[in-house]
Amino acid sequence: MLLRNQTLVNGPLAFVSEESGYPASTRERFLGWNVPPEYSDLVHPHWRAFHAPGKFWHIGLALIYTVLLLMSVVGNGCVIWIFSTSKSLRTASNMFIVSLAVFDLLMAAEMPMFLVSCFMERMIGWEVGCDVYAILGGLSGMGQSITNAAIAFDRYRTISCPIDGRLNSKQAAVIVACTWLWATPFNVLPLLKVWGQYTTEGFLTTCSFDFLTEDQDTKAFVLSIFIWAYVIPLIFIVYFYSQLLQSIRNHEKMLREQAKKMNVKSLVSNQDKERSVEMRIAKVAFTIFFLFLLAWTPYATVALMGAFGNRELLTPVSTMLPALFCKTVSCIDPWIYAINHPRYRQELQKRCKWMGIHEPEPVHDNASAQTEKMKSEDA
C-alpha cells in the first residue's frame, strides 16, 4: 500500500542517529530513515513513501539467501571443479556448462553483501557497495541469459548435425568469450555514469540499474537493456530449440517412410527410440525455457513498469521477489545442466562420497567404446 510521506514534498528527511532521542516509531517509519543526507541520492523518492519493513523481513530473507548461497557454492563449485579436471568431461559442449556455472557463482558472490545489508537494514558500503552489488548481479544475469542461448545453439548443432555440426574447442571458446563481451556494455555504462546509473531498490538492501528516474535517458536505457538482455536471448533460445525439435520430427518421419518402403517391422523399435529422444529433448528444452522465463520475466516486468507503467504497483516486497527468483534459478542451473549427466554423476560418486550418490557402473562394449572414442576425437 502506497502511503503518504511528507518526504515526497519536502525532500529527503535528515538522517536520524541512534542518539537523537526520537521515538523508534518515528525514526523507523519510512524507508530511507537511516540513510545520511550525503547518500540520499541512493534512495529514490518512490521508496520513501513506504513504511520500512520489520526486522522479521530482513531476517527471513537472510535465512533464505543463506540456504541459496550454500546451494549455489556447492552445486556450481562442483560443476566447475569436476568438469574442468575430469578428462572425459573436458569437451567443447561442456565449456558452456562451466561458463554458466561461473556466471551463477557471480550471482552467489553478491549474497554475502546482501546478508550484511539485511542486518544493517541498509546497503553496505553505500555508493561503492551499491556499484559492486549491481555489477555482480548484472554480469551474472546477462551472462546467464546469453549462455542459455549459446547452449541452445550448441545442442541444436550437435543433435541436428552430429557428423559435421559439432563445435570444436576453439569455436566453443570463441562463443564463451562472446557471452562475456555481451554481458559487459550494460554493466560498464552505468558504472561510469555514461548511460544509466546504479541505485538501491526494494528494501534498500539491494542495488540494480535505475528504472524509476523520469527522464528520456533512463527510459531509453531500460528499453535497451530489456531488448539486449531479455528479448534477444529469448528469441535465440526459442529459435534453436524449435529448430532442434523440428529436425528430430523430420528424422522420425524419414524413418517411418523408409520402414514403409522396405516393409521392415524392425524399424518400429528405432521409431520408439527416436520418439523417446524427442520427448526427452522437448522436456529439457521446456525446462530451460521455463527457468529462463521464471528468472527474468518478473524482473523485466518490474523494470518496464517502473519506467513506463504504473509505479504505485511497485512495492518494496514486489520488487524483492524477482531478485529472489533470479537467485533461486542460479542455484537450480547445476542440477539441470549437469546432474543429469551420467559421467558427471560417476565423478561425483568418486570424489564426493559424502553426497551419497550410487551410480550404476556403465556397461562397456565395443560399440560404445568406439562411440566414446569418436566423441573424444571430435571434441
Side-chain angles (χ1 to χ4, degrees):
M1 178 179 179
L2 185 63
L3 302 175
R4 294 185 178 275
N5 183 359
Q6 201 65 22
T7 302
L8 297 176
V9 178
N10 297 333
L13 295 175
F15 173 67
V16 182
S17 65
E18 295 291 340
E19 296 79 11
S20 63
Y22 284 96
S25 59
T26 301
R27 186 175 69 246
E28 299 178 359
R29 186 173 183 181
F30 293 103
L31 279 171
W33 66 269
N34 55 350
V35 178
E38 59 267 29
Y39 299 114
S40 61
D41 290 342
L42 283 175
V43 184
H44 192 275
H46 174 81
W47 303 121
R48 295 183 181 273
F50 295 92
H51 278 304
K55 289 187 177 181
F56 66 91
W57 277 104
H58 294 294
I59 295 175
L61 285 174
L63 292 175
I64 295 174
Y65 272 64
T66 299
V67 174
L68 294 178
L69 175 61
L70 294 176
M71 289 178 57
S72 182
V73 171
V74 173
N76 291 295
C78 286
V79 168
I80 296 174
W81 172 42
I82 292 179
F83 274 84
S84 300
T85 59
S86 176
K87 185 177 180 180
S88 62
L89 292 174
R90 287 201 299 265
T91 64
S93 295
N94 289 340
M95 293 175 64
F96 300 111
I97 297 180
V98 173
S99 181
L100 181 65
V102 174
F103 280 122
D104 289 339
L105 279 182
L106 283 180
M107 183 74 74
E110 66 179 9
M111 293 186 194
M113 297 181 62
F114 176 78
L115 296 179
V116 177
S117 297
C118 283
F119 289 100
M120 298 179 67
E121 298 187 35
R122 63 169 178 81
M123 190 66 217
I124 181 176
W126 301 117
E127 292 180 350
V128 175
C130 187
D131 289 344
V132 173
Y133 188 97
I135 288 177
L136 289 174
L139 280 174
S140 176
M142 296 182 198
Q144 289 172 12
S145 63
I146 197 63
T147 301
N148 278 320
I151 291 175
F153 172 70
D154 173 69
R155 292 183 176 182
Y156 164 69
R157 288 282 301 266
T158 301
I159 298 176
S160 299
C161 308
I163 298 177
D164 57 353
R166 188 184 299 272
L167 297 175
N168 58 43
S169 298
K170 292 183 179 180
Q171 292 172 327
V174 171
I175 295 177
V176 168
C178 289
T179 61
W180 285 87
L181 291 175
W182 182 278
T184 300
F186 281 93
N187 287 284
V188 173
L189 292 176
L191 177 65
L192 301 178
K193 302 294 191 297
V194 175
W195 191 21
Q197 62 181 350
Y198 293 131
T199 186
T200 55
E201 60 180 354
F203 292 168
L204 308 185
T205 52
T206 62
C207 283
S208 182
F209 61 89
D210 179 20
F211 50 81
L212 291 174
T213 300
E214 297 185 13
D215 57 46
Q216 293 302 318
D217 285 342
T218 298
K219 292 182 178 180
F221 180 83
V222 172
L223 184 60
S224 299
I225 199 173
F226 170 73
I227 295 173
W228 183 265
Y230 182 80
V231 175
I232 295 177
L234 183 61
I235 292 174
F236 284 153
I237 292 173
V238 172
Y239 174 76
F240 289 126
Y241 278 121
S242 62
Q243 290 297 309
L244 172 59
L245 295 178
Q246 184 62 40
S247 175
I248 293 175
R249 293 191 184 98
N250 293 337
H251 183 61
E252 183 181 5
K253 181 180 179 181
M254 181 189 67
L255 289 178
R256 287 198 302 266
E257 293 176 351
Q258 184 177 359
K260 185 177 181 180
K261 292 179 180 179
M262 297 175 61
N263 197 23
V264 178
K265 294 183 178 181
S266 60
L267 289 179
V268 174
S269 61
N270 290 334
Q271 292 178 13
D272 292 338
K273 291 180 180 179
E274 289 297 327
R275 188 176 295 108
S276 176
V277 171
E278 177 183 356
M279 292 302 298
R280 187 163 60 250
I281 294 175
K283 290 178 180 179
V284 173
F286 177 78
T287 302
I288 296 169
F289 179 70
F290 176 75
L291 286 176
F292 179 83
L293 293 180
L294 179 64
W296 295 108
T297 299
Y299 212 98
T301 302
V302 166
L304 290 178
M305 190 178 298
F308 304 100
N310 183 9
R311 298 185 177 186
E312 292 189 359
L313 298 177
L314 298 182
T315 65
V317 174
S318 68
T319 53
M320 291 298 290
L321 290 178
L324 181 60
F325 294 156
C326 297
K327 303 296 187 299
T328 303
V329 170
S330 70
C331 300
I332 297 176
D333 278 340
W335 299 88
I336 299 299
Y337 291 106
I339 203 63
N340 293 319
H341 198 302
R343 283 183 290 176
Y344 177 69
R345 292 197 301 269
Q346 292 165 13
E347 290 294 328
L348 278 179
Q349 181 179 351
K350 294 177 183 178
R351 305 188 190 190
C352 305
K353 295 182 180 180
W354 54 271
M355 288 187 174
I357 298 175
H358 300 285
E359 183 69 16
E361 290 294 329
V363 179
H364 294 285
D365 54 21
N366 293 333
S368 61
Q370 183 64 23
T371 301
E372 291 295 325
K373 181 178 179 181
M374 292 175 62
K375 287 183 178 180
S376 300
E377 291 175 353
D378 292 339

